[in-house]
């Protein structure tokens, strides 16, 4: 009822942009989160990955949302995580919050690889090519993309995170996890490649989605303060 009456939601819903779609995905994810904790089911897990895939293909604020909901799930699952680290329980015995967190991490982890661009200055590599408006030396590459040796290292990093994700998922459930991952990436790949007509979308979605966002931070559009996202 509050959402229907909300002036803010009404305002953003009239944009020919992605805000209202993202609001729907996030609301669905929150509903699924609480439902799964109450009554776990495979159907809810498939809905969990479907709406995360839609969120990550709609707007880069999916990364903020994943961090927020992931933190909440981590708090709920903390006792299980402690027992897991102490090898007192197996992955198959973690509770519903831990399952949701594990699935979220394992299907999205490779998409977080561009975050290494936050420390690229210390490594003297270009993982995230700066925006020309940021008044920083710019390589001959698209904004947010890796360049030179950074491209090679970025490829290795994505491959390592992918292998880790697959291993984590298979340790948890070798029958169910591949189906969940396939569901996530079929949607993700279909939308980022414009239904397989633009294969360059694999790079722009897999790396420049977050990379471009990181490259935009020094630009400080609209002069927002450092605590804007908080």
């Amino acid at each position: 009822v509050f959402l229907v009456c909300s002036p803010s939601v009404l305002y953003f819903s009239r944009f020919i942009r992605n805000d209202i779609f993202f609001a729907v995905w996030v609301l669905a994810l929150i509903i699924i989160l609480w439902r799964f904790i109450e009554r776990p089911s495979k159907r809810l897990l498939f809905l969990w990955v479907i709406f995360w895939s839609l969120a990550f293909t709609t707007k880069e604020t999916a990364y903020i949302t994943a961090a927020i909901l992931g933190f909440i799930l981590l708090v709920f699952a903390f006792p299980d995580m402690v027992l897991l680290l102490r090898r007192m329980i197996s992955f198959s015995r973690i509770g519903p919050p831990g399952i949701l967190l594990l699935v979220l991490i394992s299907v999205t982890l490779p998409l977080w690889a561009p975050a290494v661009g936050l420390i690229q200055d210390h490594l003297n590599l270009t993982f995230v090519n700066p925006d020309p408006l940021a008044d920083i030396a710019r390589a001959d590459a698209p904004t947010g993309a890796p360049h030179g040796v950074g491209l090679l290292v970025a490829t290795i990093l994505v491959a390592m995170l992918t292998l880790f994700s697959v291993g984590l998922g298979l340790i948890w459930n070798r029958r169910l996890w591949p189906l969940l991952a396939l569901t996530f990436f079929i949607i993700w790949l279909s939308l980022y490649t414009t239904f397989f007509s633009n294969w360059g979308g694999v790079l722009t979605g897999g790396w420049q989605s977050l990379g471009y966002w990181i490259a935009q931070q020094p630009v400080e559009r609209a002069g927002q303060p450092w605590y804007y996202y908080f």
Side-chain angles (χ1 to χ4, degrees), residues 70-134:
F71 177 75
I72 292 170
L73 289 170
L74 180 61
V75 171
F76 289 163
F78 188 73
D80 281 350
M81 296 297 108
V82 172
L83 293 175
L84 191 64
L85 291 173
R86 295 177 66 183
R87 297 185 178 181
M88 297 177 69
I89 62 171
S90 63
F91 276 93
S92 60
R93 293 183 58 193
I94 60 176
I99 291 173
L100 289 177
L101 180 61
L102 186 147
V103 171
L104 172 60
I105 291 173
S106 60
V107 299
T108 67
L109 187 60
L111 301 178
W112 291 82
V116 71
L118 294 170
I119 59 170
Q120 64 181 5
D121 292 341
H122 301 288
L123 302 175
N124 199 26
L125 294 170
T126 302
F127 295 112
V128 172
N129 198 32
D131 189 299
L133 296 177

Side-chain angles (χ1 to χ4, degrees), residues 24-207:
V24 174
W25 311 149
V26 173
L27 181 58
L29 286 166
I30 291 171
I31 293 171
I32 293 166
L33 186 153
W34 289 113
R35 284 286 186 182
F36 189 84
I37 290 175
E38 282 183 353
R39 192 175 300 172
S41 72
K42 290 181 181 179
R43 180 179 64 88
L44 288 174
L45 277 181
F46 277 100
L47 289 174
W48 179 247
V49 297
I50 286 170
F51 281 107
W52 274 118
S53 188
L54 291 171
F56 274 92
T57 52
T58 297
K59 195 172 185 179
E60 283 69 24
T61 41
Y63 291 92
I64 293 179
T65 306
I68 293 171
L69 295 186
F71 177 75
I72 292 170
L73 289 170
L74 180 61
V75 171
F76 289 163
F78 188 73
D80 281 350
M81 296 297 108
V82 172
L83 293 175
L84 191 64
L85 291 173
R86 295 177 66 183
R87 297 185 178 181
M88 297 177 69
I89 62 171
S90 63
F91 276 93
S92 60
R93 293 183 58 193
I94 60 176
I99 291 173
L100 289 177
L101 180 61
L102 186 147
V103 171
L104 172 60
I105 291 173
S106 60
V107 299
T108 67
L109 187 60
L111 301 178
W112 291 82
V116 71
L118 294 170
I119 59 170
Q120 64 181 5
D121 292 341
H122 301 288
L123 302 175
N124 199 26
L125 294 170
T126 302
F127 295 112
V128 172
N129 198 32
D131 189 299
L133 296 177
D135 196 26
I136 301 174
R138 185 171 183 271
D140 185 21
T143 299
H147 179 74
V149 179
L151 177 59
L152 175 62
V153 177
T155 303
I156 295 172
L157 179 61
V158 171
M160 291 175 61
L161 292 179
T162 301
L163 289 173
F164 179 82
S165 295
V166 172
L168 181 64
L170 293 179
I171 290 173
W172 167 65
N173 192 319
R174 65 176 58 250
R175 291 185 177 180
L176 182 57
W177 186 84
L179 297 176
L180 294 172
L182 189 63
T183 300
F184 180 92
F185 278 103
I186 283 177
I187 296 171
W188 186 91
L189 191 64
S190 298
L191 294 177
Y192 263 115
T193 61
T194 318
F195 297 98
F196 314 108
S197 65
N198 170 35
W199 288 102
V202 175
L203 175 61
T204 55
W207 192 273

